[in-house]
Amino acid sequence: MRPNRRDFLSQAGTFVFASALLRSVAGASEGQSKTRLILLGTKGGPSVSERGPGNSGRSNPSTLLVINNVPYLVDCGYGASRQLVRAGFELHRLRHIFITHHHSDHNLELGTLLYNAWITGTPVEIDAYGPPGLVKMVQDFFSYQQFDIDTRIVDEGRPDPRKLFACHEFEKPGLVLQNDDVKVSSCFVPHPPIKYAYAYRFDTRDRSIVISGDTAYAPELANFAKGADVLVHEVMYMPAVEALVKQLPNAKRLREHLVAAHTLPADVGKIAAAAGVRMLVLTHFVPGDDPSIADDDWAADARKFFKGRIVVGKDLMEI
Ligand SMILES: [Zn+2]
Ligand SMILES: [Zn+2]
């Protein structure tokens, strides 16, 4: 039976979606290895691109960290399952998903990804963390696919996926997760009109990596990212935005939203410099569909302020 909403009101601040099974399937017997950072999807926004003339071929936002051989995913826009597989990770190996905020380019594939991990047929256990709304989103997805799931449980002898995943909602920034390999913390970032928008910081034995999520220029993010090795930051290129919005009927409104909610390259450079990070990785490109924007267009203004290494992200790039 599907758990009802009351079942989630279990412990202070944590909503446990269901009891988890089969601890630690990934990397348990392998030695400690370097923390890896892999960009799965680098295009800001929910529209879907395909490779070819006239577009960039970037997938929607998703970023992977592999810590001691265990994959940790930040955001899962459309295509995240496919990108994970393309990056060489079987979906059942995924252990932790972090959602920065509830724009669909960051969560559209959350339920689908859980489903896709379950359907591999291999033991799976995933904890998802994110702002309020996460539990209902996953519940609703399982309702949406109830017929299929109930059919396969009986017809194919599969375990009930609704008992395999745990969702943890949180309303305040701070410590999100700590285990032997990593400490994950969060801070609020300004991304109007969304109230709960988080950046995440991963401190592992060998690296500190900060993921900005979607954010307007946020000096407080520099404090949060202080001394990190890598800052992965969203970016918006205004000349291309101006050209893009001119073609749209909702141009004025859309432009206002973008300006209020995202960060220009120069300001990204200021944040990276103030944080004192060693490397700045640009991702969540807005607009992400315009192949005429050269790598240097994204990086040039950031470089005026940040003297460390700047990486203009590409899908499936490992850093
Ligand atoms: Zn976004
Ligand atoms: Zn957003």
Side-chain angles (χ1 to χ4, degrees):
M1 201 176 89
R2 202 159 63 83
N4 64 36
R5 180 138 190 95
R6 249 195 335 242
D7 292 324
F8 303 127
L9 302 171
S10 54
Q11 293 158 10
T14 298
F15 296 74
V16 177
F17 182 62
S19 63
L21 298 173
L22 300 163
R23 294 269 150 206
S24 195
V25 293
S29 61
E30 301 169 57
Q32 183 81 30
S33 72
K34 266 190 68 169
T35 298
R36 302 168 65 192
L37 169 64
I38 302 170
L39 306 179
L40 296 182
T42 57
K43 168 199 147 89
S47 68
V48 177
S49 296
E50 198 42 80
R51 283 194 187 285
N55 62 55
S56 65
R58 295 182 189 276
S59 191
N60 303 101
S62 191
T63 303
L64 179 68
L65 282 86
V66 187
I67 304 168
N68 198 14
N69 295 310
V70 177
Y72 294 65
L73 191 70
V74 180
D75 288 330
C76 38
Y78 182 80
S81 304
R82 174 77 65 195
Q83 292 299 91
L84 259 173
V85 171
R86 282 188 178 140
F89 293 88
E90 294 164 297
L91 298 178
H92 66 87
R93 285 186 58 195
L94 194 59
R95 282 285 294 107
H96 302 280
I97 300 173
F98 302 85
I99 300 296
T100 57
H101 65 295
H102 287 316
H103 267 141
S104 67
D105 51 326
H106 299 257
N107 65 20
L108 191 62
E109 199 155 309
L110 175 60
T112 307
L113 183 56
L114 297 175
Y115 181 98
N116 288 342
W118 168 69
I119 208 69
T120 61
T122 316
V124 60
E125 175 212 342
I126 297 174
D127 285 85
Y129 305 82
L134 195 71
V135 170
K136 183 171 187 308
M137 194 171 288
V138 173
Q139 267 186 311
D140 288 350
F141 174 80
F142 283 131
S143 296
Y144 173 69
Q145 282 299 342
Q146 184 170 359
F147 172 79
D148 173 275
I149 289 166
D150 289 346
T151 301
R152 291 185 195 277
I153 288 171
V154 175
D155 196 36
E156 302 175 10
R158 294 177 183 276
D160 188 338
R162 293 158 289 208
K163 294 179 180 168
L164 297 176
F165 307 114
C167 290
H168 311 274
E169 298 182 351
F170 54 98
E171 301 183 341
K172 292 198 175 108
L175 182 66
V176 179
L177 166 71
Q178 186 154 22
N179 59 32
D180 289 346
D181 295 324
V182 62
K183 176 181 161 191
V184 184
S185 45
S186 65
C187 85
F188 274 139
V189 285
H191 187 49
I194 291 184
K195 180 178 173 188
Y196 296 106
Y198 294 114
Y200 289 108
R201 176 171 179 142
F202 294 76
D203 291 293
T204 76
R205 290 167 201 252
D206 63 317
R207 277 178 121 180
S208 293
I209 297 172
V210 174
I211 315 278
S212 74
D214 282 12
T215 180
Y217 176 53
E220 62 268 35
L221 182 60
N223 289 335
F224 182 66
K226 208 81 177 174
D229 298 295
V230 184
L231 172 63
V232 182
H233 202 294
E234 68 124 87
V235 67
M236 174 173 70
Y237 184 60
M238 211 54 210
V241 168
E242 301 287 13
L244 177 71
V245 297
K246 268 191 205 144
Q247 308 162 20
L248 300 171
N250 58 336
K252 183 169 177 293
R253 193 68 186 268
L254 180 61
R255 186 185 183 284
E256 283 169 4
H257 160 74
L258 291 172
V259 169
H262 296 285
T263 308
L264 301 173
D267 289 336
V268 177
K270 288 178 195 168
I271 298 294
V277 298
R278 295 219 317 249
M279 186 193 301
L280 170 63
V281 177
L282 301 176
T283 190
H284 195 282
F285 297 96
V286 176
D289 280 328
D290 186 345
S292 73
I293 308 171
D295 282 3
D296 203 54
D297 293 331
W298 295 108
D301 282 358
R303 199 175 292 119
K304 291 176 187 165
F305 297 93
F306 178 64
K307 301 306 172 195
R309 184 176 166 211
I310 300 178
V311 174
V312 178
K314 305 270 192 303
D315 286 14
L316 301 181
M317 177 186 270
E318 177 164 353
I319 299 139

